[in-house]
Amino acid sequence: NDEPEEEPVDEEIVEEELPPVEPDAIFKEPVSYSALKQSYSGPGFAFKYSDGFKVLATTVSPSEVDPDGVTGEMVTVENAKGSGFQIFILSWDESDPITPERIWQDMPDADVLDPKNADLDGSKTLVFNGYDEDFGETFEAWTVYKGKLYQITGPKTAEKLMIETLETWRWK
């Protein structure tokens, strides 16, 4: 046997430092909009939105990528550039209003910054700033109504648009 014996190699596991994920540049631009003259009526709620925006409602279900994902509805309000906000609606078997502590129970690493209580057409709503890999800094409003959790999220640059839109929100 003329083959040299292989020396055992001490393999050191090196953790690769990944560059930080940068939010999409579109979400850094201020969102411009006009008077809220258009109306959207969805299952259980309605609101007004600005000309130049479109509203798209889709069903979200667990996928091969995220088999443990949740089933719900996604309503996206966006302009031609793709900037705006989204409303994620899922079944919820708790009647208590959402609190930062309740969010952290399911998502311990969630950013819930500067939380405040607000009123969404009579429903106690938690509003706060957060962070999302796509949006960057976010403005969020979460509320529970008739067995559903409504997570309303957009880039911080859309905060004024979101607040004005939510002031027109009506439960059906």
Side-chain angles (χ1 to χ4, degrees):
N1 187 348
D2 294 337
E3 291 181 31
E5 283 187 35
E6 287 188 29
E7 299 265 331
V9 179
D10 285 340
E11 289 189 30
E12 187 176 320
I13 297 174
V14 178
E15 285 191 29
E16 185 180 349
E17 182 93 12
L18 296 174
V21 175
E22 283 296 315
D24 194 321
I26 187 68
F27 300 122
K28 292 181 180 178
E29 296 176 21
V31 177
S32 57
Y33 59 95
S34 59
L36 308 181
K37 296 180 180 174
Q38 302 298 318
S39 294
Y40 172 77
S41 184
F45 64 97
F47 59 82
K48 293 192 179 303
Y49 64 97
S50 174
D51 284 334
F53 282 72
K54 64 181 178 185
V55 179
L56 180 65
T58 56
T59 300
V60 177
S61 50
S63 65
E64 291 177 21
V65 179
D66 185 12
D68 296 330
V70 295
T71 300
E73 303 163 63
M74 178 75 72
V75 177
T76 305
V77 181
E78 65 184 15
N79 61 18
K81 292 181 177 180
S83 190
F85 63 95
Q86 60 191 26
I87 304 162
F88 185 54
I89 307 154
L90 61 147
S91 293
W92 194 251
D93 62 2
E94 300 172 32
S95 60
D96 292 338
I98 289 292
T99 62
E101 294 74 20
R102 181 61 189 88
I103 292 172
W104 292 324
Q105 187 178 323
D106 286 346
M107 301 183 304
D109 297 330
D111 287 329
V112 180
L113 309 172
D114 197 23
K116 295 179 174 66
N117 287 316
D119 179 88
L120 186 62
D121 192 27
S123 179
K124 187 174 175 186
T125 302
L126 178 69
V127 294
F128 59 94
N129 296 312
Y131 186 84
D132 176 271
E133 284 187 356
D134 293 326
F135 290 147
E137 290 184 359
T138 60
F139 175 73
E140 305 190 28
W142 290 32
T143 193
V144 174
Y145 187 77
K146 291 190 177 178
K148 305 259 186 198
L149 172 63
Y150 294 77
Q151 300 171 339
I152 306 159
T153 305
K156 186 95 172 96
T157 53
E159 181 175 355
K160 285 183 179 175
L161 166 67
M162 293 173 66
I163 289 171
E164 280 194 38
T165 302
L166 295 177
E167 286 173 349
T168 71
W169 186 286
R170 296 295 170 258
W171 299 110
K172 300 195 295 185

